[in-house]
Amino acid sequence: MSAYDGLVDQEDAHWAFGTGFSEPLTGVDRELPEGVDRADLSAYCLMLGDDALVLAQRLAEWTSRAPELEEDVALANIALDLLGQARMLLTRAGEAEGAGRDEDALAFLREEREFRNVHLAEIECGPFAGGDFATTVARLLVFSSWKLAQYSRLRGGADPVLAAVAEKGVKELAYHRDHAAQWVVRLGDGTEESHRRMAAGLARVWPHLEELFTAHPVELRLAGVAVDPAELRSEVDGVLDAVLAAARLERPVDVPPAARVGGRAGRDGVHTEVMGYLLAEMQHLHRSLPGARW
Amino acid sequence: MSAAYEVAARVRDPELPVLTLADLGVLRDVTESGGRVSVTITPTYSGCPALDEMGADLRRSLLEAGFAEVEVRTSLSPAWTTDWISEDGLRKLREAGIAPPSRLGPRVAGPVPLNLVPPPRRVSCPRCGSARTAELSRFGSTACKALRRCADCDEPFEHVKEI
């Protein structure tokens, strides 16, 4: 049976993720670690799952619109890796919550205020208004450098599922980061025009860096399971500085962090204006045709 | 080696059908007792859509072979690496015109190194054997393959990238 047969296989074919996927943690050791608050673990898995899910959705917008065919395939492949991570993380979030919500219920039936992703994942960086390919590459570099630092530490965490997802994810994020870094160097150290657009892309994403290193109370309460994002800053800074130096780009300076609303941002369910549009596109089919299959 | 293992080991990868699941190194464990078989496989990539196909193919093959009950389990850790592709698997890939991955060896502890230029890998052309090949795209027709071209025979070819 070919992979194509899997796409049209009626048996167990739930349309949500496009193929006859079964539940992604089937047969994985699912014990909840002792002494860990279920609600906190669920909230933390949602944060990580939503980061991956929302960026996968944004990257998928490039399909058929990238500057070259190879890049179409690259961005779609990166999105697929992130979607795979999101499926496992959302499944784990539902399981820890214990209210019977599966990955689809969490992806498609939550309201905007219930999403816990950082703003960097959701902002428009192209192909539509708000950016271009260079901006998307800038976002991917920052996101994957940060996420790689986070997952590297999660590998040793007390939740066996999170640790295993992170162990696998590290390998994937490492080549996502390399791919983005190589583009930043090519564009930054390229023509006058590509340099200008790469610098503009960095300026676009830079206000959203601060949120990446700002801990949510859940992350601090889950010591041993979660990673305090403040710990990631120096590693991420080091990577970004190395890439920017090779790309002959200046690190944006005097960039005020994006505004928070009463101190709250993505981790608290407070999102930017584009989030509603993103969710409308991602969720409308599932909501219009509940239980639809293809 | 049990009869159940032999059946499971012969099941082919849906995306690289020249390889069996045993060649690919995703088959982690097969146990059998009283006609009940439990198979453990590991995904190659987090989003790999072939994993479900593998599970379905394993179930079908084992039921056809006469086992009464089949359970397919997924193991995420330790994470799959191309180093688990068998020597036989590497040879079969080469014979199918796909350049096999080179061996990575044990992972070095500490932060993952950043590669600002694609690491120079000596990937020989699976058609003519020339070492003068270049990467066209890190991302190919499936998550696990890159696209390269040979400078001597001018043919493009796929390369199972190291992970």
Side-chain angles (χ1 to χ4, degrees), chain A residues 114-138:
Chain A
E114 297 170 277
F115 274 79
R116 294 289 180 263
N117 56 284
V118 292
H119 291 177
L120 182 70
E122 78 199 36
I123 58 170
E124 290 239 41
C125 290
F128 307 118
D132 59 6
F133 181 69
T135 314
T136 276
V137 161

Side-chain angles (χ1 to χ4, degrees), chain A residues 91-158:
Chain A
T91 298
R92 185 60 166 169
E95 198 166 67
E97 182 190 48
R101 290 202 285 182
D102 64 5
E103 49 170 331
D104 281 359
L106 289 169
F108 297 121
L109 299 176
R110 274 182 302 152
E111 300 295 322
E112 178 181 326
R113 290 296 300 266
E114 297 170 277
F115 274 79
R116 294 289 180 263
N117 56 284
V118 292
H119 291 177
L120 182 70
E122 78 199 36
I123 58 170
E124 290 239 41
C125 290
F128 307 118
D132 59 6
F133 181 69
T135 314
T136 276
V137 161
R139 187 232 312 260
L140 187 60
L141 174 69
V142 172
F143 182 92
S144 51
S145 301
W146 168 67
K147 199 46 90 174
L148 181 57
Q150 185 189 54
Y151 278 12
S152 298
R153 287 160 180 77
L154 276 175
R155 287 180 295 191

Side-chain angles (χ1 to χ4, degrees), chain A residues 1 20-22 167 172 177-178, chain B residues 44 46 52-53 77 112 115:
Chain A
M1 190 189 258
F21 278 128
S22 58
E167 186 187 341
E172 294 163 354
R177 184 186 67 177
D178 284 350
Chain B
T44 52
S46 295
D52 273 3
E53 292 304 316
S77 178
V112 183
N115 297 302

Side-chain angles (χ1 to χ4, degrees), chain A residues 107-273:
Chain A
F108 297 121
L109 299 176
R110 274 182 302 152
E111 300 295 322
E112 178 181 326
R113 290 296 300 266
E114 297 170 277
F115 274 79
R116 294 289 180 263
N117 56 284
V118 292
H119 291 177
L120 182 70
E122 78 199 36
I123 58 170
E124 290 239 41
C125 290
F128 307 118
D132 59 6
F133 181 69
T135 314
T136 276
V137 161
R139 187 232 312 260
L140 187 60
L141 174 69
V142 172
F143 182 92
S144 51
S145 301
W146 168 67
K147 199 46 90 174
L148 181 57
Q150 185 189 54
Y151 278 12
S152 298
R153 287 160 180 77
L154 276 175
R155 287 180 295 191
D159 181 50
V161 175
L162 267 183
V165 171
E167 186 187 341
K168 187 119 211 83
V170 160
K171 291 171 173 239
E172 294 163 354
L173 286 155
Y175 67 73
H176 302 172
R177 184 186 67 177
D178 284 350
H179 187 71
Q182 287 163 21
W183 267 116
V184 171
V185 171
R186 206 172 300 145
L187 295 174
D189 192 19
T191 65
E192 202 177 305
E193 172 68 3
S194 72
H195 180 89
R196 183 188 68 74
R197 285 165 71 169
M198 198 60 244
L202 291 172
R204 167 88 179 98
V205 302
W206 223 257
H208 298 285
L209 256 70
E210 193 58 33
E211 185 189 0
L212 307 181
F213 307 115
T214 307
H216 184 276
V218 161
E219 292 171 297
L220 299 177
R221 284 201 298 269
L222 279 178
V225 171
V227 175
D228 177 355
E231 282 174 25
L232 310 177
R233 193 191 291 262
S234 65
E235 182 178 329
V236 174
D237 274 346
V239 169
L240 296 178
D241 285 344
V243 176
L244 296 187
R248 299 172 190 273
L249 286 159
E250 299 290 330
R251 188 185 176 92
V253 286
D254 297 329
V255 181
R260 298 172 76 90
V261 179
R264 293 169 303 165
R267 294 294 192 227
D268 310 289
V270 174
H271 294 281
T272 63
E273 191 187 341

Side-chain angles (χ1 to χ4, degrees), chain B residues 4 6 19 21 41 47 55 57 63 72 75 78 81 85 87 90 93 109-110 119 129 138 142 144 149 152-153 156 163:
Chain B
E6 285 185 16
L19 299 186
L21 298 189
I41 54 176
D57 291 350
L63 291 175
V72 179
S75 162
T81 154
I85 299 178
E87 287 298 323
L90 300 183
L93 282 172
R138 189 96 192 105
T142 61
C144 57
R149 183 170 53 209
D152 282 320
C153 72
I163 188 173

Side-chain angles (χ1 to χ4, degrees), chain B residues 4 30-39 58-60 62-72:
Chain B
V30 181
T31 57
E32 194 249 313
S33 97
R36 189 185 150 76
V37 183
S38 175
V39 184
L58 279 166
R59 201 168 289 115
R60 189 166 42 239
L62 285 157
L63 291 175
E64 278 171 9
F67 295 98
E69 215 178 310
V70 180
E71 174 197 40
V72 179

